[in-house]
Amino acid sequence: MGKSGVVAKALKTAFPYTIPIFAGFWFLGLTYGIYMNVSGFSFWYPAIMSLIIYAGSLEFVAVSFLLSPFQPLQVLIMVLMIQARHLFYGISMLDKYKNMGWKKWYLMFGMCDESFSINYSTNIPEDVDEGWFMFWVTFLNHFYWFSGATLGGLLGSFMTFNTNGLDFAMTAMFVVIFLEQFLKEKKHWTALIGFGSAFVCRILFGADSFMIPTMTAILLFLTIFRKPIEKEGGFS
């Protein structure tokens, strides 16, 4: 099979896995684009932000950043709190991305919750190139978000949209991803580390300040105990 055949087969295999993501990303992407428009931004704002930033929950929060006085330190802390989970995704994908060549750079940039979940947990058929499979999963999900946000920005000029409940939708999405990984693990060390770190930091730092210490503690524990956890089947 030639290179084009390998690429096409990987695309054909990856596409069905992304269909549910398409439905979710288009709904949230459309909502985000409309939200940007009714907040006073032209359609090219959500188009460029969805293409370059590509961080759904952060992009919603970025609307308030753009409408507020310039506070770089506050923005930095908020970004770390929202996106720090990708540090843990990256640790889990180190071995998978090791020999991906140029594709690993886009895979790192384009890794979102949904792409991570598919690429990490899917048993890819032996006759399908793993690198191209993960590339297409990442690319397709990125395209779904970008196209939905851009279309929403265009449609926002003609309609209004009630954004109440979006925070719950994103929270529910994270819960589903957590439960999927929890059920897949042979032993639940990572979940225990997460719950334990959050519980202790919540007591020590309070409800308004525990997120960053919690993320730091989780990263520290996962780094220190990575090999024992992998040996016990805690990452698979």
Side-chain angles (χ1 to χ4, degrees):
M1 184 184 296
K3 183 177 180 179
S4 60
V6 172
V7 175
K9 187 169 186 177
L11 172 60
K12 183 178 180 180
T13 305
F15 176 68
Y17 287 94
T18 68
I19 293 176
I21 311 302
F22 168 74
F25 270 24
W26 252 51
F27 171 75
L28 289 176
L30 284 168
T31 304
Y32 166 64
I34 294 171
Y35 179 45
M36 284 288 287
N37 188 280
V38 299
S39 297
F41 297 97
S42 175
F43 81 94
W44 59 267
Y45 273 87
I48 294 177
M49 290 173 65
S50 62
L51 187 64
I52 298 177
I53 300 176
Y54 187 40
S57 53
L58 178 60
E59 290 179 52
F60 277 94
V61 177
V63 178
S64 63
F65 293 159
L66 293 172
L67 295 173
S68 303
F70 184 54
Q71 298 177 309
L73 181 59
Q74 179 180 344
V75 171
L76 175 62
I77 294 174
M78 185 65 70
V79 170
L80 286 174
M81 291 176 61
I82 295 174
Q83 297 299 112
R85 66 187 185 278
H86 289 275
L87 294 171
F88 315 129
Y89 297 166
I91 292 175
S92 301
M93 299 300 286
L94 284 175
D95 291 333
K96 286 182 176 289
Y97 289 172
K98 187 181 300 183
N99 300 313
M100 294 299 168
W102 63 267
K103 291 188 287 294
K104 71 180 179 182
W105 302 109
Y106 178 69
L107 291 172
M108 287 189 290
F109 163 76
M111 181 164 51
C112 63
D113 304 300
E114 295 75 15
S115 296
F116 166 76
S117 182
I118 295 173
N119 288 335
Y120 181 77
S121 61
T122 301
N123 293 319
I124 303 171
E126 293 183 0
D127 59 340
V128 174
D129 184 273
E130 182 180 29
W132 279 110
F133 174 89
M134 291 195 290
F135 173 86
W136 284 122
V137 167
T138 305
F139 176 84
L140 289 170
N141 288 341
H142 191 182
F143 176 74
Y144 300 153
W145 178 254
F146 164 73
S147 59
T150 302
L151 182 59
L154 292 169
L155 293 177
S157 301
F158 308 101
M159 59 186 295
T160 58
F161 190 85
N162 187 351
T163 59
N164 290 333
L166 281 177
D167 290 342
F168 173 78
M170 288 184 286
T171 300
M173 181 172 61
F174 295 149
V175 170
V176 170
I177 292 171
F178 167 78
L179 289 176
E180 181 179 356
Q181 295 305 315
F182 181 85
L183 294 174
K184 186 177 182 295
E185 287 183 333
K186 297 176 182 178
K187 296 188 177 180
H188 306 298
W189 297 117
T190 55
L192 292 174
I193 288 174
F195 278 125
S197 299
F199 180 76
V200 173
C201 290
R202 172 64 173 79
I203 294 175
L204 294 177
F205 299 98
D208 296 329
S209 306
F210 81 103
M211 284 297 295
I212 292 180
T214 297
M215 294 297 186
T216 303
I218 293 173
L219 178 61
L220 181 63
F221 282 122
L222 290 181
T223 301
I224 294 174
F225 298 108
R226 181 188 174 197
K227 290 185 178 179
I229 292 174
E230 288 180 334
K231 185 177 180 180
E232 293 292 328
F235 280 132
S236 60

